[in-house]
Amino acid sequence: MIRYRAFRIFPLAGAVLLAGLAACQPVATATEVTRLPAPAVDAAPISAGHDQVAVLAGGCFWGIEAVFEHVKGVRKVTAGYSGGAADTAHYEMVGSGTTGHAESVEVEFDPAQVSYGTLLQVFFSVALNPTELNRQGPDSGTQYRSVIFYGNAQQQKIATDYIAQLTRAKAFSAPIVTQVVPLQAFYPAEAYHQHYYDLHPDNPYIVFNDAPKVAHLQKLFPALYQPEQQFVEVQLH
């Protein structure tokens, strides 16, 4: 069995930090990439309206951010933290796994172009393995758990109904462990984490773990795929 070493390398305060050193696990049969059915329950299509927000977590936020930056109808994506307090929303603290935070992304989208349910369809199809508990691939810890942080009752219903739909259809060979919990707050991550996929395409971690997700999005959802990434300015906190 071939194993790879996956590195997460990024600058911090003029230095280079090496984090997330771990063996890249082989893909399990439960994560064979396939386009999952669309949610039977979704928000009604609208012709125009204000942008909406989805907050999702599933492993390292670099890959989740990269996937949704390539989805048509998405205005911007921000990497950050959800699930814990404001004073612990810092990478070094979140990495301890004791803050309650999960590495998350805030997806601002135009509901006239893409629905919340479609975002969840992409999320479960290509962005993560929803059967892995407190880990994704080479990353382990509660900060890498999969979570749908819903912002209102409609999002909660769409998410819970979709997980039930996928469970009934036996879309995965193991139970889905993705949590569906209310969004309390989202805290943008440090500036060096934003658009990491685009800025560091040769990083071995990106090559082995995240580039395949974007490729799968393009293959499985060609009508949704956009080659240009959407950028958002995020202040370092």
Side-chain angles (χ1 to χ4, degrees), residues 3-4 6 20-28 31 58-60 127-141 144-145 205 208-210 213:
R3 290 181 181 267
Y4 300 95
L21 180 62
C24 183
Q25 301 299 316
V27 177
T31 60
C60 174
L128 82 164
N129 175 358
T131 70
E132 290 189 314
L133 182 63
N134 295 331
R135 68 172 300 117
Q136 282 295 311
D139 300 313
S140 62
Y144 299 114
R145 68 191 185 276
Y205 183 97
F208 290 119
N209 296 284
D210 296 336
K213 296 178 182 180

Side-chain angles (χ1 to χ4, degrees), residues 37-116:
V41 176
D42 199 355
I46 62 173
S47 57
H50 296 294
D51 287 350
Q52 298 179 7
V53 170
V55 177
L56 306 168
C60 174
F61 42 26
W62 297 342
I64 303 292
E65 178 190 51
V67 167
F68 286 106
E69 282 182 334
H70 283 89
V71 173
K72 290 179 181 177
V74 170
R75 300 293 196 189
K76 62 182 181 181
V77 188
T78 306
Y81 313 107
S82 293
D87 59 356
T88 60
H90 304 281
Y91 186 75
E92 295 80 3
M93 299 178 72
V94 173
S96 70
T98 62
T99 64
H101 282 295
E103 291 195 13
S104 309
V105 295
E106 182 183 68
V107 182
E108 185 175 322
F109 65 99
D110 178 359
Q113 298 185 56
V114 63
S115 70
Y116 183 74

